[in-house]
């Protein structure tokens, strides 16, 4: 359950903070007023916010109550309340007493908020490292290359040892293989060590796909790509963008978007396929994002919408509408989704099949999904709110409990009331929105 409130954040007035701090010390108004050199009546007016505090009196109050002046200033308590509300999300707490707690124990409240923020950062870091070690495609490919090179070296060396009478020309070929495989192992091992060292350096986006995505986010700076694989991705992306732009020019797209941002209407007015329009809007509309995956659900291209963070390559939430579209090619899907952080997006997705190997070849599927910020999540029908689908990162680091699509338990959140992974939860997500 989330914390319940009346929909408004209560602010802690300066006088209330003074009163709560005085009571926490067990002091009377008369006693504190005597130490401050003011009348109890005047202190009573201050505590009820009927008299302002001078800088000198604020300093004397802070010293008498063993509190810093910053903690008496407006804004600090409100920030603490907001931080504690975030920390308490998903826990049963006494929400109605949060303001009192911050006012009476500001230092404890600050410590709790700081520890909660550190815990969130560590959980995110733990999930990142765990996923890298178990399903990072770049790491797995590199390890496979190392193992292949080691196996080849062992096999070649074994043949040379067990056959001392080998013909000179064959021995020379095996020596050449040893040299080639050892060189390949050396280069790959260096890359692997550098990659693993980045775990501690926390450099983040370092696999080729992540490097390419970071390059896009930074505005495609000249010379911003260091790996050959990332440069190849960039060249392929540029060619695809040029082809899409030739079919739907920017000027024509802008003219239609000035009238509507409904992708289906945009596609109809431009006479263009819906998947093409979704791709163009994902690149052209400010704040939009786009995902493209193949028939196996593997992400081929990812561009984050504003306020949205992308999981590492290989991570996927099966609640994403793009996978719903993949299961029903040719049928458009429109859904509202909510990220773990609370951001809500409109999602438009469609999957298409193509016969790239000819009529008798296999039909290959590819799905496209457009993210648009949901300024008004309410549906356009009878005024009722449209259902919102909660999505998250990979199951291992997703904090959502009782998700019907969960494949494995989360390492960052207890599964209270859940029967287990693989959709065995007792009920769908019942969190208040």
């Amino acid at each position: 359950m989330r914390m319940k409130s009346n929909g408004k954040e209560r602010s802690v007035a300066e006088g209330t903070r003074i009163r709560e701090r005085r009571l926490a010390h067990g002091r009377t108004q008369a006693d504190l007023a005597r130490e401050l050199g003011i009348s109890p009546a005047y202190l009573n007016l201050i505590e009820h916010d009927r008299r302002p505090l001078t800088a000198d009196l604020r300093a004397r109050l802070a010293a008498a109550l063993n509190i810093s002046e910053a903690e008496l200033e407006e804004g600090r308590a409100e920030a603490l309340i907001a931080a504690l509300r975030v920390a308490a999300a998903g826990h049963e707490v006494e929400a109605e007493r949060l303001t009192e707690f911050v006012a009476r124990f500001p230092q404890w409240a600050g410590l709790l908020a700081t520890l909660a923020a550190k815990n969130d950062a560590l959980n995110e870091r733990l999930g990142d490292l765990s996923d890298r070690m178990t399903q990072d495609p770049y790491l797995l490919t590199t390890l496979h290359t190392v193992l292949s090179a080691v196996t080849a070296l062992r096999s070649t060396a074994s043949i040379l040892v067990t056959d001392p009478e080998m013909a000179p020309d064959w021995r020379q070929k095996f020596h050449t293989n040893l040299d080639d495989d050892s060189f390949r192992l050396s280069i790959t091992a260096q890359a692997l060590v550098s990659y693993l060292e980045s775990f501690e350096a926390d450099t983040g986006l370092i696999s080729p796909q992540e490097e390419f995505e970071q390059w896009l986010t930074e505005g495609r700076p000249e010379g911003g790509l260091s790996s050959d694989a990332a440069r190849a991705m960039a060249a392929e992306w540029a060619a695809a963008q040029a082809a899409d732009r030739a079919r739907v020019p920017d000027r024509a797209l802008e003219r239609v978007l000035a009238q509507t941002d409904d992708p289906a209407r945009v596609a109809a007015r431009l006479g263009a396929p819906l998947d093409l329009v979704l791709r163009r809007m994902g690149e052209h509309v400010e704040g939009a994002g786009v995902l493209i995956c193949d028939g196996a659900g593997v992400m081929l291209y990812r561009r984050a919408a504003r306020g949205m963070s992308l999981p590492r390559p290989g991570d996927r939430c099966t609640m994403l509408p793009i996978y719903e579209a993949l299961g029903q090619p040719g049928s458009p899907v429109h859904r509202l989704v909510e990220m773990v952080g609370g951001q809500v997006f409109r999602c438009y997705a469609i999957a298409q099949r193509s016969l790239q190997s000819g009529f008798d070849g296999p039909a290959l599927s590819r799905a496209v999904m457009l993210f648009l910020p949901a300024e008004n999540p309410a549906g356009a029908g009878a005024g009722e709110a449209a259902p919102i689908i909660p999505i998250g990162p990979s199951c291992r680091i997703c904090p959502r409990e009782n998700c019907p699509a969960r494949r494995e338990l989360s390492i960052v959140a207890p599964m209270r009331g859940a029967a287990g992974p693989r959709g065995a939860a007792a009920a769908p997500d019942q969190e208040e929105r």
Side-chain angles (χ1 to χ4, degrees):
M1 291 288 291
R2 292 180 180 173
M3 296 179 58
K4 298 179 180 180
S5 67
N6 60 4
K8 297 181 179 179
E9 297 288 344
R10 294 177 58 194
S11 63
V12 183
E14 194 171 39
T16 302
R17 290 194 288 273
I18 294 171
R19 181 176 63 85
E20 295 291 353
R21 192 67 174 176
R22 174 179 61 78
L23 293 175
H25 280 268
R27 304 185 65 176
T28 65
Q29 282 186 341
D31 177 48
L32 181 59
R34 187 180 306 110
E35 181 177 346
L36 295 172
I38 60 177
S39 68
Y42 189 77
L43 178 58
N44 183 67
L45 292 174
I46 290 176
E47 289 186 353
H48 286 83
D49 295 298
R50 296 178 182 175
R51 290 292 185 275
L53 274 178
T54 63
D56 176 65
L57 185 54
R58 180 182 288 108
R60 284 186 286 153
L61 266 169
L65 296 174
N66 191 27
I67 189 175
S68 67
E69 292 185 56
E71 289 171 310
L72 288 178
E73 294 176 357
E74 291 289 344
R76 178 177 173 83
E78 286 72 13
L80 277 178
I81 288 176
L84 290 176
R85 288 189 184 278
V86 173
H91 300 276
E92 294 285 353
V93 297
E94 298 171 309
E96 68 280 358
R97 304 196 65 182
L98 182 57
T99 300
E100 177 187 354
F101 172 68
V102 171
R104 296 188 64 179
F105 308 105
Q107 293 178 337
W108 278 107
L111 176 62
L112 181 60
T114 300
L115 292 177
K118 288 182 178 179
N119 183 66
D120 289 342
L122 289 174
N123 281 338
E124 183 176 352
R125 181 66 175 149
L126 174 62
D128 181 51
L129 293 178
S130 176
D131 283 342
R132 281 187 178 188
M133 295 303 295
T134 57
Q135 56 181 307
D136 188 317
Y138 183 76
L139 179 60
L140 294 177
T141 301
T142 306
L143 287 174
H144 178 73
T145 303
V146 170
L147 290 175
S148 298
V150 170
T151 302
L153 285 170
R154 180 70 184 91
S155 177
T156 303
S158 177
I159 293 173
L160 288 172
V161 169
T162 57
D163 190 3
E165 303 300 329
M166 183 181 299
D169 56 337
W170 278 101
R171 184 174 295 276
Q172 179 60 38
K173 289 181 179 179
F174 278 108
H175 283 159
T176 301
N177 289 341
L178 281 175
D179 181 65
D180 292 341
D181 290 335
S182 61
F183 178 76
R184 178 163 59 102
L185 177 61
S186 175
I187 295 298
T188 306
Q190 291 177 26
L192 178 60
V193 169
S194 176
Y195 188 71
L196 293 175
E197 285 179 346
S198 71
F199 284 25
E200 288 298 324
D202 197 20
T203 53
L205 304 173
I206 50 178
S207 70
Q209 182 174 348
E210 292 172 302
E211 182 185 359
F212 165 65
E213 291 170 353
Q214 179 68 15
W215 175 74
L216 287 178
T217 302
E218 294 175 351
R220 308 188 295 278
E222 186 70 25
L225 296 173
S226 58
S227 70
D228 291 338
R231 285 193 287 269
M233 291 180 183
E236 183 179 353
W237 170 84
Q241 287 293 300
D244 283 353
R245 193 173 292 109
R247 297 174 66 186
V248 176
D250 289 347
R251 183 171 299 179
L253 181 63
E254 291 170 357
R255 184 172 61 252
V256 177
L257 287 176
Q259 303 170 6
T260 178
D261 67 350
D262 184 315
R265 291 191 172 96
V266 174
R269 296 182 185 184
L270 290 174
L274 182 57
D275 59 334
L276 170 60
V277 169
L278 295 182
R279 293 196 302 270
R280 291 290 288 121
M281 289 181 65
E283 299 292 340
H284 192 81
V285 177
E286 184 178 358
V290 65
L291 296 180
I292 302 175
C293 75
D294 62 15
V298 177
M299 289 297 167
L300 304 176
Y301 177 70
R302 312 183 308 165
R303 180 185 178 90
R306 181 188 299 140
M308 168 187 170
S309 59
L310 292 174
R312 290 184 56 79
D315 296 344
R316 56 180 70 94
C317 175
T318 54
M319 297 293 283
L320 282 169
I322 192 172
Y323 297 117
E324 181 182 353
L326 198 60
Q328 47 187 34
S331 299
V333 174
H334 176 212
R335 297 285 184 265
L336 287 175
V337 301
E338 181 187 38
M339 303 296 179
V340 171
Q343 306 96 326
V344 178
F345 293 94
R346 291 179 288 153
C347 291
Y348 302 88
I350 192 169
Q352 302 287 8
R353 287 181 173 175
S354 61
L355 298 173
Q356 298 184 19
S357 301
F359 194 84
D360 295 326
L364 301 180
S365 297
R366 178 170 292 198
V368 183
M369 183 169 71
L370 170 70
F371 288 92
L372 292 178
E375 300 176 357
N376 179 19
E384 298 180 356
I388 299 179
I389 301 173
I391 64 174
S394 65
C395 289
R396 181 171 301 157
I397 55 173
C398 181
R400 298 191 184 279
E401 300 180 24
N402 301 328
C403 175
R406 181 170 292 281
R407 300 184 297 273
E408 59 181 323
L409 296 179
S410 173
I411 63 175
V412 299
M415 295 295 294
R416 296 191 299 271
R422 299 190 181 277
D429 189 353
Q430 296 295 322
E431 289 186 335
E432 290 183 12
R433 306 202 183 285

